[in-house]
Amino acid sequence: MISDRIKSNLSREFRESLLAKVGLVLLVAILIMGLFAPVLATHNPHTTGYFDDDGNAYPPMGVSYDSHQWVDGERVTYTAEPSADHYLGTNNIGQDVFSRLLFGARTSLMVGVFGTGLAVLIGVPFGLVSGYYGGRVDDAMMRVADIMLAFPSLVLALALIGVMGSLTIPIPDPFVFAGVADGMPASTPLPGTVTLVVGLVTWVWFARVARGEAMSIRNEEYVKAARSLGANDREILLKHVLPNSLTPVIVLATIQVAAIILLESSLSYLGFSGTTLSWGYEIQQGQDYLRTAWWVSTVPGIGIVLSVISINLLGDWLRDSLDPNIEGEGGGAG
């Protein structure tokens, strides 16, 4: 249960922080986009061939651009106009950008949440055991963590993907199953290998935070009292050390979701995601058309930026609310 003091801190910091409110609004909007993608999408994200009569991609609403063709040896200039059927235009193969933006949000959010969850499951027990026992156990376990930190995250992720191969897990779409989103993909692809890899790459951060908390908590009076009453190490770790170590872990997990979204976007940009419904993949597909069809890369890029900003703003709010040692620092705008 959340204590009354923590509830009071969360409420007070949120009322005083304009940035926290902005972050919450942005994140809720992105979550709605991802969760209800099949309902909000105007076209199947995989359908190609949406071009104007001259064979050009549609620009976003309110935007037009000049295009050129050679006709009988002469350069003919004409203007490509937007279509009301494609709010954010279409890409180089005629797919609806708005629909792919929605489904790309699903991929990024799923990898961010599941990857962070896996990192927590690996890193927190590892760090708690290391910090609680200390001595040679701590030295050995932390050397493993140091080895992991010696490799850049992206390089290590690429190496692991090369070893493990690409695995995509289809998740049935409940909206399509219920018949409220006809014509949409029947399942959402979860990049299984990428999710596993980002968890394996980022668990060490949680291990180091949990270790520091365990080293502090193991000397508390209530832990000594529990030990004197006959509690074994497992009981002490589960009932005393773990619950009292969760505050910094929760804050780190919130911020880590944003970092994993960036890592997943980088991997999908390089072609290792295992799915084409990804913001990073969209940026890669549109990079050769920035001079004419700039929106193909720009729109998913804005999606990544807003997602990371919103999560980090909420992470700052949680940090200021849950950590009494830094309360008031980095405060919100009133």
Side-chain angles (χ1 to χ4, degrees):
M1 297 293 292
I2 301 177
S3 68
D4 292 337
R5 182 182 64 84
I6 292 179
K7 290 179 181 179
S8 176
N9 287 345
L10 289 170
S11 177
R12 184 184 69 254
E13 287 288 343
F14 188 78
R15 288 195 306 269
E16 296 176 354
S17 175
L18 174 61
L19 294 179
K21 297 182 180 72
V22 172
L24 181 62
V25 171
L26 287 175
L27 184 59
V28 168
I30 294 169
L31 287 172
I32 291 174
M33 287 170 51
L35 290 173
F36 297 97
V39 178
L40 298 175
T42 55
H43 300 80
N44 187 310
H46 297 299
T47 302
T48 62
Y50 293 115
F51 297 109
D52 64 14
D53 293 337
D54 296 304
N56 291 297
Y58 290 108
M61 296 298 297
V63 176
S64 61
Y65 68 97
D66 291 333
S67 184
H68 309 280
Q69 279 188 347
W70 289 93
V71 179
D72 297 330
E74 296 185 1
R75 190 173 186 236
V76 178
T77 302
Y78 58 91
T79 301
E81 299 289 348
S83 169
D85 292 332
H86 306 282
Y87 305 140
L88 297 178
T90 57
N91 62 18
N92 56 300
I93 58 175
Q95 295 172 321
D96 184 71
V97 172
F98 175 71
S99 300
R100 294 184 67 80
L101 175 70
L102 298 179
F103 281 89
R106 274 190 165 188
T107 301
S108 293
L109 291 172
M110 286 193 301
V111 173
V113 172
F114 293 153
T116 300
L118 179 61
V120 169
L121 290 176
I122 298 173
V124 171
F126 188 96
L128 291 180
V129 171
S130 176
Y132 179 77
Y133 287 104
R136 293 182 178 179
V137 173
D138 180 48
D139 290 339
M141 297 180 75
M142 282 300 102
R143 295 300 76 75
V144 174
D146 290 341
I147 291 173
M148 294 293 297
L149 288 174
F151 295 93
S153 297
L154 184 58
V155 174
L156 182 58
L158 291 174
L160 290 173
I161 291 175
V163 172
M164 304 166 86
S166 179
L167 171 64
T168 302
I169 303 172
I171 301 177
D173 193 299
F175 295 104
V176 176
F177 182 77
V180 297
D182 294 334
M184 293 297 160
S187 62
T188 299
L190 171 65
T193 301
V194 171
T195 303
L196 178 61
V197 164
V198 296
L200 294 176
V201 167
T202 58
W203 67 267
V204 65
W205 300 108
F206 292 96
R208 292 177 71 87
V209 169
R211 171 183 178 264
E213 291 297 306
M215 292 180 70
S216 173
I217 294 171
R218 71 183 181 183
N219 295 319
E220 294 290 340
E221 293 299 325
Y222 58 85
V223 173
K224 295 178 180 178
R227 188 178 295 114
S228 66
L229 292 173
N232 58 38
D233 290 340
R234 180 176 177 274
E235 292 173 335
I236 293 174
L237 281 168
L238 292 178
K239 294 182 180 180
H240 300 287
V241 180
L242 175 60
N244 289 286
S245 303
L246 289 180
T247 295
V249 170
I250 291 173
V251 175
L252 177 60
T254 303
I255 299 174
Q256 198 66 24
V257 170
I260 288 180
I261 287 177
L262 287 175
L263 181 56
E264 184 277 330
S265 298
S266 300
L267 292 172
S268 59
Y269 176 86
L270 296 173
F272 293 97
S273 178
T275 176
T276 60
L277 292 178
S278 172
W279 285 339
Y281 180 85
E282 289 299 294
I283 294 175
Q284 190 275 332
Q285 288 295 100
Q287 66 178 357
D288 294 332
Y289 305 92
L290 286 174
R291 295 184 61 184
T292 54
W294 51 266
W295 58 89
V296 178
S297 289
T298 302
V299 168
I302 292 174
I304 294 172
V305 170
L306 293 180
S307 298
V308 172
I309 288 176
S310 65
I311 294 171
N312 282 332
L313 289 177
L314 290 177
D316 289 342
W317 163 59
L318 287 175
R319 180 200 63 197
D320 294 342
S321 303
L322 298 178
D323 194 335
N325 295 320
I326 55 175
E327 184 175 354
E329 296 182 9

